[in-house]
Amino acid sequence: MRQGLLHSVAPILAAPWQQRRSAGSLWGLFVVVAFVAIGPVAMFGWSLFEQFGTHGDAAGSQHLHLVRLGLAVSHAALAADLRHSAANITLCALAVLALGWWAVTVSNVFDQNRAVLARLVPEHPTRLRAALLVAWVGMVAFVTLLVGVRFDIALACAATSAATFALVAVAMRWPLVWMTGCLAPIVVNYVLAWPALGAVAERAQALWFAQGGSIFVTVAAASAVLLVSLVQAGGKRHAANDEARRNRVQRFQMRARGSQPVAVGVRGALDTALTRPYYAWWRFVSTRPVTPVFSRVMLALGPSVHWTAGLSAVFGGALAVAVAMLAAEAIGLVFPGVAAVAPDMLASVSIGLMFGLLSPVLQLQARLHQTRREQALLMLLPGVPRGAALNRRLAWQLTAQFLATWLGAVALMGLCLGVANVLHPGVLRSAILGIRDVMVVATLPLVVLQWRPWARVSAPTTLNAMGAYLLGGLVGLVAWIAPLIGWLSLATVATAAFAAALAWCAMRWVRLGRDPSAFPVGRLA
């Protein structure tokens, strides 16, 4: 390559960082890194406690009985094991962060791969391909040095990471590739049940030991060719693909902030189905001669804030789970392995239902910001509550919607686990039941987010949209770790979390009487 081409690679690779620094959005990166570091830091702090802490009498200071693990080890040995595990987790976490930054880099390279630039700027596609290859080589080397050298599997780690980074780039180019992950449980189940698995694994291991270098070169070359082919060089097809990708990215960014992508393209079939109850209730209210003013106010805020949003999410989730189970049973008539793995998939999916179904009530900041013009008009109408009356009525209304959705999500999760246990007794292991309890404890305190000073909330960003989920994750992490290490029981953690939530809501109740009127949202930010 010419010197100019090499010099142009650095600005292309630095663009993601420069753009985020210019937009003031580096806080999101710092928050992600901080949350990734919580686990290793907690384990290292635990090791220091075991090494230098006080453990009671002489007999108790010599041995620590771990009831859940059924082991008795010395505190020094436990501290050493914890430090070793913390180091390994830190390296793996850095590898995961590298994978995430690779996805950001690839997305930015695709953003720069405009059809008009490919036609008018000399060697523009070549520069993008060179930047993509340089970043890929650097990421593979970084992960290999972190994980491969640590576990003495450098060549295998390099081959695996080379293919993984290439597949992530392909998925960034065609997002439907991510859907293949849904087939992973079925494939794993078939592979583990394959009678010849042991023999094939031995032959593969022998082939790797004999020709590991050749396999690595082949995988690396195929990955490099795949990466180069992802950068387009102009034409009508490139322009159409670029336009479709930009619309898709804009929708994703709006959803990441909690907004509804009503301004980009047409609404999909799923959005239409989920908003049908809202429009049905709108028609019902419109035909009634007398309707409470506040009911009409909530309708004017749009379908994403109305109580029908939570109802639609719960019943839509239940319908989706039922359809998936019926489809799995139907496919299982031809492929028995699909029906065999369905209860395990149902038990796993039930764990993620809580945050998914609570999304409409956890994304109020962005969704209320979308209707600020309507809110300004509402405040001009006679009979609409103002000041403290509006603030407290809105807080109670949002709280009721949150609790109703939370109860529906808990009931649906319990139903999924019950059906999974009936179809496959024993599938509900203690780990799944423990995660269920943690999810219930982690989500209910999020009711405090319904009691915010809405007139002063800032404009929605990806970071503050993640705030609700990060808060729930932090509460869940405490609820999981505290009983595990014997500090507090789950009931104690739940009681403390609920007491703190109630205290916060009581304090906000008093403050709402002095806060400015909630509508329009964010006008004083």
Side-chain angles (χ1 to χ4, degrees), residues 35 38-39 42 438 442 470-483 493:
F35 268 82
I38 286 178
V438 168
L470 295 178
L471 176 60
L474 184 60
V475 176
L477 184 64
V478 174
W480 175 60
I481 292 180
V493 175

Side-chain angles (χ1 to χ4, degrees), residues 69 77 79 157 164 194 202 241 263 293 305 347 416 438 485 489:
L69 300 179
C157 182
T164 301
W194 189 25
E202 291 180 0
N241 291 340
V293 175
V305 182
C416 291
V438 168
I485 61 179
S489 65

